[in-house]
Amino acid sequence: MADYATYPCRIVTPEGVTFDDEIVKLIVTGKGGQIGLLARHTPLVADLKLGHIKVELPDGTWKTWASEEGFVQVHDSQGSVVVEGAVAIDDIDLEAADALISEAQQELERAEQQAAAAASMNPEAEVEEDAI
């Protein structure tokens, strides 16, 4: 690993500060693709989309969060990430996530069946997109 300068970085959600420490590198999912940021980066503000936030710590280890939309700002070798939500990858319960996905798929199937049944009862009526 090359010796790069560190800089302070803060990740903030509506619930509060998720991370606040010195880092070597910040990688975020921008609307136009991944953005990697080191110390002394030119000032930047960018929109973020659903994706991830990764930080490299001075000891060479990485921390990663699944993140919602937001923005990143870098100015005077300080990084700030403000997102609607961020969950540390290590904190994600895969079984619970799979259960939520299955539940959502079942709900979608029920809604599609209800919409199809309503359309077959009254074929001239338009089905609203919100019903699906």
Side-chain angles (χ1 to χ4, degrees):
M1 177 179 99
D3 289 326
Y4 290 108
T6 63
Y7 64 100
C9 179
R10 179 178 277 188
I11 300 171
V12 182
T13 69
E15 287 77 38
V17 177
T18 299
F19 177 83
D20 189 4
D21 207 347
E22 291 286 316
I23 66 168
V24 173
K25 187 184 299 181
L26 170 65
I27 300 173
V28 293
T29 307
K31 296 229 178 192
Q34 283 194 343
I35 303 169
L37 304 161
L38 296 170
R40 295 185 290 279
H41 193 283
T42 209
L44 169 80
V45 175
D47 287 333
L48 302 179
K49 66 179 184 177
L50 187 69
H52 68 269
I53 302 165
K54 295 171 75 172
V55 296
E56 182 181 0
L57 302 175
D59 65 3
T61 61
W62 289 84
K63 287 191 175 188
T64 305
W65 294 263
S67 62
E68 295 183 40
E69 293 181 335
F71 69 91
V72 62
Q73 176 183 5
V74 177
H75 183 68
D76 291 335
S77 285
Q78 294 185 21
S80 298
V81 180
V82 179
V83 290
E84 289 294 322
V87 178
I89 295 296
D90 296 337
D91 294 343
I92 295 175
D93 180 345
L94 294 179
E95 289 180 17
D98 285 341
L100 287 171
I101 290 169
S102 293
E103 187 178 309
Q105 288 172 332
Q106 290 171 359
E107 183 63 32
L108 179 60
E109 288 172 12
R110 278 194 294 275
E112 288 172 341
Q113 289 171 355
Q114 289 174 349
S120 67
M121 291 173 61
N122 188 0
E124 294 179 13
E126 289 187 28
V127 177
E128 292 183 30
E129 288 294 322
D130 292 340
I132 297 177

